Amino acid sequence: MSLEDRIHNMEQCNRCSQCKFVHMPKSQEFSSICPSKYQSRFHASSAGGQVISAYGYHNKLIEASPKMIDSVFACSMCGACETMCKSHMGDNVEPFDTILEFRAQLAEDGKVPETLSNMVKHLEQEGAPHGKRDERSRWAEGLDIKDARKETVDVLLHIGSGQAYSEKQWDNLRFIVKLLKSAKVDFGIAYDSESDSGGLAYEIGYRSVADKLAQEWADLVQKSQAKTLLAISAEAYSAFKNVYPRLNKTLSSVRVLHTTEYFEELLQQGKLSLGMKNTGKVAYHDSCRLGRRSEEYTPWNGEYIRVLNTMAVTDTPRKVNYGNDGNYDAPRQLLSRVDGLDMVELERTRQYSFCCGGCTGVKETYPEMADGAAQELLREAESVGAEVLVSGSSCCQANMAAAAKRSNSSVKVAYLFDLLADSIQEGA
């Protein structure tokens, strides 16, 4: 697919601005859905604005000015615009796919911010946006985890670059390993042979790098003979379900699960149990990659045809993703099992969740955008009386926790497994 293939969709955008706002919001204060537009207050930063820019750029009506490039890459690719647009326009516009193709064209033309292009170069060299490949499994030293490159395993654990290289996250990783061992799960890791999922390179626009990384991992999964691919990283989980089908990569017949889903299964099977009481008022934030961006993508190779010389329709049935089938329930079910925990919902939840702005290189390239989006979420948490804002994504948790520290917010930000650490007990 290319921008040329998206002409029909781009021409369907009527600038209704539905991509910017929550449908039927509970309040005007928290009615925005697009972090980029919320921060910039500039139409070009919204999905509708980016579609117009893409159309103009493709047709050589405008050039890639620095401001236009910023309006494109300050977007965290959270996919909220897609959910909002489709609720109004069905699959006629699909702005997210256009933005993906726009980024791919800008990358091909060398019009990507230097910080992002350097991250991709590092991905090519080391299999991660930062850190050295031979340091990827330092967190696992002394844990005696099976090497999935040499032994068959039932469950192949994918760590993800964010947690593998952040020492602040290593306790979480070791806790997850401890629980898997306690539940007698036959699992292993790929140690330093694990690469980034390829999702980051794909979303920035570097298709060939994404393809190479995805193929490397798909080959390793197949050789492992694992029945389940267990993703700790929300970003990798999203890539396996939403990006790999776009790259025509298959993960053989393995089940792809996030740790929140898998540990809920273990609890249901009685292989783990919850014990200690953990009191407090907690709000769960649906991160984009665990939520709407984890909805499985189904490739479609049909064509649009004209009906009555006016309306364009698909010549064969096509699955349309609305963001409804993301991983929303498992994290809430885990939290609901903790005795004494008072769960409250944010105004914007599930497929209508507001993105924290911390992923896809936004935090590194446009830190003020990432901070502003996170501060908005902290305000939302405060408004519902939450004492703790919980995330199932370590990337989101790190961004929101840093924002809370900068603003002296009364809300504590916690990673889901940090919160569960005192409650989950080993064995039944």
Side-chain angles (χ1 to χ4, degrees), residues 293-418:
R293 289 292 316 283
S294 73
E295 190 171 36
E296 192 162 355
Y297 181 83
T298 303
W300 176 75
N301 297 313
E303 295 181 356
Y304 283 95
I305 57 175
R306 291 282 177 183
V307 177
L308 300 176
N309 243 0
T310 54
M311 184 177 294
V313 297
T314 60
D315 62 349
T316 57
R318 174 174 180 258
K319 181 189 175 186
V320 180
N321 286 6
Y322 287 86
N324 300 329
D325 295 328
N327 178 14
Y328 302 116
D329 294 329
R332 287 176 170 81
Q333 288 167 347
L334 282 173
L335 289 169
S336 70
R337 290 175 176 274
V338 180
D339 187 26
L341 211 61
D342 183 8
M343 283 282 293
V344 294
E345 290 285 1
L346 300 173
E347 287 194 19
R348 295 169 288 191
T349 63
R350 303 177 82 88
Q351 68 266 41
Y352 303 127
S353 179
F354 191 79
C355 172
C356 82
C359 300
T360 324
V362 174
K363 183 171 61 176
E364 293 83 358
T365 315
Y366 305 96
E368 72 287 351
M369 297 290 283
D371 179 71
Q375 298 293 353
E376 167 74 350
L377 275 167
L378 291 168
R379 288 198 311 111
E380 186 177 356
E382 289 172 357
S383 75
V384 297
E387 298 169 293
V388 183
L389 182 58
V390 180
S391 176
S393 162
S394 61
C395 172
C396 297
Q397 183 274 331
N399 186 48
M400 293 189 293
K405 185 176 181 180
R406 282 190 291 269
S407 63
N408 293 316
S409 172
S410 61
V411 175
K412 177 186 175 183
V413 181
Y415 181 52
L416 180 62
F417 283 94
D418 266 343

Side-chain angles (χ1 to χ4, degrees), residues 22-52:
V22 178
H23 294 168
M24 296 181 291
K26 295 181 180 179
S27 72
Q28 184 176 358
E29 184 177 9
F30 300 113
S31 61
S32 292
I33 196 67
C34 173
S36 304
K37 168 62 175 60
Y38 174 77
Q39 284 295 104
S40 71
R41 303 288 195 257
F42 192 40
H43 179 69
S45 299
S46 70
Q50 290 191 57
V51 167
I52 292 172

Side-chain angles (χ1 to χ4, degrees), residues 64-106:
S65 68
K67 284 189 176 181
M68 190 198 80
I69 291 170
D70 287 342
S71 72
V72 174
F73 290 100
C75 166
S76 61
M77 302 297 283
C78 74
C81 57
E82 185 87 344
T83 295
M84 299 303 105
C85 178
K86 283 179 175 174
S87 298
H88 181 60
M89 296 290 290
D91 63 345
N92 287 313
V93 181
E94 295 191 313
F96 187 78
D97 282 358
T98 294
I99 295 169
L100 282 171
E101 297 307 325
F102 191 18
R103 286 176 168 229
Q105 186 62 61
L106 290 170

Side-chain angles (χ1 to χ4, degrees), residues 7 11 23 52 74 81 95 111 177 186 206 248 265 283 322 371:
I7 288 291
E11 289 178 342
H23 294 168
I52 292 172
C81 57
K111 305 293 184 181
V177 166
D186 177 27
Y206 292 86
N248 295 315
E265 283 188 4
Y322 287 86
D371 179 71

